Amino acid sequence: MTTSTVGTLLPADVNCAEAFGPPPTGALIGPEVAHIQGRSPRRQRQFTAARVLARSALAELDVPARPLLPGRGGAPGWPDGTTGSITHCDGYTACAATRTIRYAALGIDAEPQQPLPHGTLHLTASAAEHRRLARLPQGTVPWDRLLFSAKEATYKAFYPLTHTWTALASITVTLRLDGTFTARHPLNPQPRQGRWTTRQGILVTALVLPPNSRQT
């Protein structure tokens, strides 16, 4: 069995499902149809693909198929006792899910392997992060986009614990060449270790929080 790209970044007891290329198709369940009705065709494809992959990952946990509607902040409403994360960009869709008895929460993010649009980095990175990016070897990966992705993954991981919108600029991330990064969230500043990789023109980042994260 081939390990998924996002699966290489996560513990073995986190279930993952992913698709490169066009978003996978499938059936929505009841309230999901009403929720996405009237949205653009592109958004409908993204929403459907994410739910198809999420149900695939949850099935590995023996969780029956059920509607997965966005909750507070737009994050998916995961079944009781589970947690997960969904990401999509052009050419890639992925989901990761696990039991909350194993991990408090997790976040994954995917971005095109291209530099950020002009001006975006200044809105999402500190001066210290700018200096660290400048010291990384150029021409390998778009470090500004990778930093952005790592912050997105960190935000997604912590949102189920904080239920608070957090500006990406307030999340501190240090990237490393070995495929890891350290992240600090302003509401839970203990350093956390994440991982990153690239494949087929896509940057993928992931961060997992241990069960005791809710108490720190």
Side-chain angles (χ1 to χ4, degrees), residues 10-117:
L10 296 165
D13 52 358
V14 175
N15 294 314
C16 303
E18 69 179 8
F20 283 91
T25 59
L28 296 176
I29 298 177
E32 294 174 339
V33 177
H35 173 81
I36 201 64
Q37 190 172 13
R39 307 290 182 91
S40 70
R42 183 173 185 270
R43 178 61 188 133
Q44 291 186 36
R45 289 192 297 270
Q46 291 173 336
F47 182 88
T48 301
R51 269 65 198 169
V52 169
L53 293 181
R55 280 191 270 276
S56 176
L58 289 168
E60 296 297 319
L61 300 174
D62 295 324
V63 176
R66 51 154 286 179
L68 298 172
L69 296 173
R72 293 177 58 183
W78 298 98
D80 290 345
T82 69
T83 188
S85 185
I86 289 170
T87 188
H88 50 74
C89 66
D90 289 343
Y92 184 74
T93 311
C95 173
T98 189
R99 296 279 185 186
T100 50
I101 195 172
R102 299 172 182 167
Y103 304 101
L106 62 90
I108 62 172
D109 186 69
E111 299 286 333
Q113 196 171 334
Q114 301 170 0
L116 284 173

Side-chain angles (χ1 to χ4, degrees), residues 100-105 161 188 190 192 209-216:
T100 50
I101 195 172
R102 299 172 182 167
Y103 304 101
L161 311 185
N188 191 320
Q190 180 178 344
R192 304 291 184 179
L209 300 177
N212 61 4
S213 301
R214 298 180 182 274
Q215 303 166 5
T216 57

Side-chain angles (χ1 to χ4, degrees), residues 108-158:
I108 62 172
D109 186 69
E111 299 286 333
Q113 196 171 334
Q114 301 170 0
L116 284 173
H118 180 72
T120 303
L121 183 64
H122 292 280
L123 300 175
T124 56
S126 67
E129 288 171 329
H130 276 263
R131 290 192 293 270
R132 288 196 293 271
L133 290 182
R135 292 194 292 266
L136 292 170
Q138 301 305 302
T140 51
V141 299
W143 299 112
D144 58 347
R145 179 82 72 163
L146 184 61
L147 181 75
F148 178 87
S149 181
K151 291 190 175 207
E152 283 281 356
T154 302
Y155 173 82
K156 291 180 180 181
F158 276 99

